[in-house]
Amino acid sequence: MLFRSLFFASGLTLLCALTLLAGFYLRAKPLLFFGGGFLLVELTALARSDTDPFCRWEAGQRLFTGAILRLIDDFRQQRPLVMPPVVLELLRFLLTKEQELDLAFRAQLLTMPDEGYLAELMEVIDVEAVFRVRSFLRQELGRLLKNEWTGLYGKLAAATAVVGYDSVTAGHRRLKNCCLGYLVATGDEEMAALCYRQFSAAANMTDEVIALRYLAHHDTPYRRRALDVFVEKWQHELLVLDKWLAIQ
């Protein structure tokens, strides 16, 4: 059972996650409610190595969120957008150093907060700013970590060649498609071609639909081709066509 409570100490607002362990005792985890100095270091440490999966994921999401909100402010003030080093190095660490981590959980750690969640944190929702900043971060993370994303994607693509659905193969697919999303976000036509190859060769609906979604949301010649192929292939399956309509 998980409890959250706000604590006020030394004039600082800390968000503490209280985790009720099997031995019926509570442990407090400080998770940063604002971005600054020592707390940022603590948050980074939690995101890299905390033994509690929820606390680790929450710390990473707060790093992402703090960076995105600061970039949104830069965007509104027409200042240049700069990749936050703490986010870049966290993702580099997760891509290169966490080989034994559960694959589905690893994908969760690599995924930034969505637009809806970020909008809830804003007094006045700025749809364009949220979209532009998230797009900037995805593109830059894809570009700066291209070798890491490509290497991991290649390994996972080979591992998921066998058709099947269980927790292990689902984790492979989730992490593989997370890598593919960052690669396509670079805008590199070579990465769009890679995505189209996954779409064309997919042996399961997950890989096919996710590849289609990535192509549909980017300006690439493969976009129209993939949409046409999908509707032709699944035109007699109404539930599948719902996915095609939703993607557009």
Side-chain angles (χ1 to χ4, degrees):
M1 184 180 300
L2 182 71
F3 299 92
R4 285 185 177 180
S5 180
L6 287 175
F7 286 80
F8 299 89
S10 302
L12 303 179
T13 305
L14 302 182
L15 180 65
C16 294
L18 301 179
T19 307
L20 185 59
L21 305 178
F24 299 99
Y25 64 91
L26 294 174
R27 181 178 58 188
K29 295 274 188 180
L31 289 184
L32 180 71
F33 202 53
F34 64 97
F38 176 74
L39 284 177
L40 186 61
V41 173
E42 288 292 306
L43 194 67
T44 302
L46 288 172
R48 281 174 171 252
S49 58
D50 195 87
T51 56
D52 184 307
F54 172 81
C55 289
R56 186 173 185 182
W57 172 82
E58 179 79 357
Q61 290 296 290
R62 289 185 177 276
L63 275 176
F64 262 131
T65 300
I68 291 171
L69 293 178
R70 286 189 290 274
L71 285 171
I72 286 174
D73 185 59
D74 289 339
F75 177 84
R76 287 171 161 174
Q77 300 300 322
Q78 298 184 340
R79 294 190 290 263
L81 301 183
V82 179
M83 168 59 62
V86 66
V87 173
L88 177 64
E89 292 310 313
L90 174 61
L91 265 66
R92 192 191 305 277
F93 173 80
L94 293 171
L95 285 168
T96 59
K97 303 296 185 183
E98 290 287 36
Q99 306 298 326
E100 303 303 319
L101 199 63
D102 177 80
L103 298 181
F105 180 55
R106 198 170 169 197
Q108 288 274 43
L109 294 176
L110 290 165
T111 302
M112 69 178 65
D114 62 28
E115 289 94 338
Y117 173 76
L118 294 167
E120 291 176 0
L121 302 177
M122 304 172 71
E123 289 187 15
V124 178
I125 298 174
D126 189 333
V127 176
E128 181 184 6
V130 172
F131 175 79
R132 296 278 187 179
V133 167
R134 284 188 85 259
S135 297
F136 165 78
L137 270 183
R138 286 181 63 80
Q139 183 177 41
E140 286 299 285
L141 287 169
R143 182 180 66 85
L144 295 171
L145 299 174
K146 183 178 179 180
N147 290 338
E148 290 85 349
W149 294 118
T150 304
L152 183 56
Y153 175 85
K155 292 178 183 178
L156 294 167
T160 55
V162 178
V163 178
Y165 196 92
D166 53 48
S167 60
V168 175
T169 56
H172 276 80
R173 282 193 289 270
R174 183 163 193 169
L175 183 54
K176 176 187 68 175
N177 288 317
C178 176
C179 294
L180 183 62
Y182 278 103
L183 289 170
V184 175
T186 63
D188 188 335
E189 200 61 24
E190 181 184 353
M191 297 300 101
L194 175 66
C195 189
Y196 187 78
R197 288 197 295 273
Q198 173 173 307
F199 168 78
S200 300
N204 60 80
M205 186 60 68
T206 300
D207 283 351
E208 187 172 355
V209 168
I210 289 179
L212 178 65
R213 181 180 299 120
Y214 291 153
L215 293 171
H217 292 173
H218 289 83
D219 185 15
T220 168
Y222 293 103
R223 179 183 184 276
R224 186 73 263 165
R225 189 187 310 178
L227 288 168
D228 290 345
V229 168
F230 190 86
V231 74
E232 177 68 22
K233 178 180 179 181
W234 298 105
Q235 59 183 307
H236 301 300
E237 298 289 343
L238 297 183
L239 290 177
V240 179
L241 284 184
D242 281 346
K243 300 178 183 294
W244 180 79
L245 290 168
I247 284 171
Q248 299 178 82

